[in-house]
Amino acid sequence: MLIGIYLRLFGRPGAEPAPPSWTSLRSAAIAAEEVGFDRVVFEDVLLYPEDEGNEGVWDPTTVAAAVAASTERIGLAHAVMNNPYHQPAII
């Protein structure tokens, strides 16, 4: 069995919970690796570009790449991907 930790990638500026910072995401991934988690799991936020208040959303593929560069062993996974809003080559 593999045990993962979910990292939230969204939040509306000025609201609770606030959007996570890159520093907090990186620190959480490194801490998860240090304590022995097997995976970091990301989700894609299912918001449409024209929705009011969709700022504060991190792109999950970009964050996964940055976390991979910041860690040594932990695996990466996506819980859900909003395929119509991504280039096919990236997914």
Side-chain angles (χ1 to χ4, degrees):
M1 176 185 309
L2 299 174
I3 305 295
I5 185 171
Y6 161 80
L7 293 183
R8 182 180 55 82
L9 299 180
F10 64 95
R12 297 186 191 276
E16 287 297 325
S21 66
W22 162 241
T23 303
S24 69
L25 291 170
R26 182 179 181 274
S27 296
I30 290 170
E33 182 175 60
E34 288 174 352
V35 299
F37 279 94
D38 300 300
R39 299 275 184 270
V40 175
V41 181
F42 308 102
E43 89 295 352
D44 200 357
V45 180
L46 302 178
L47 296 175
Y48 299 100
E50 63 273 1
D51 279 354
E52 183 179 329
N54 65 357
E55 62 278 331
V57 178
W58 289 91
D59 177 70
T61 54
T62 304
V63 172
V67 167
S70 301
T71 56
E72 296 178 17
R73 172 199 64 77
I74 201 161
L76 307 172
H78 293 280
V80 64
M81 292 293 292
N82 194 3
N83 292 344
Y85 296 101
H86 295 283
Q87 294 293 326
I90 293 175
I91 295 180

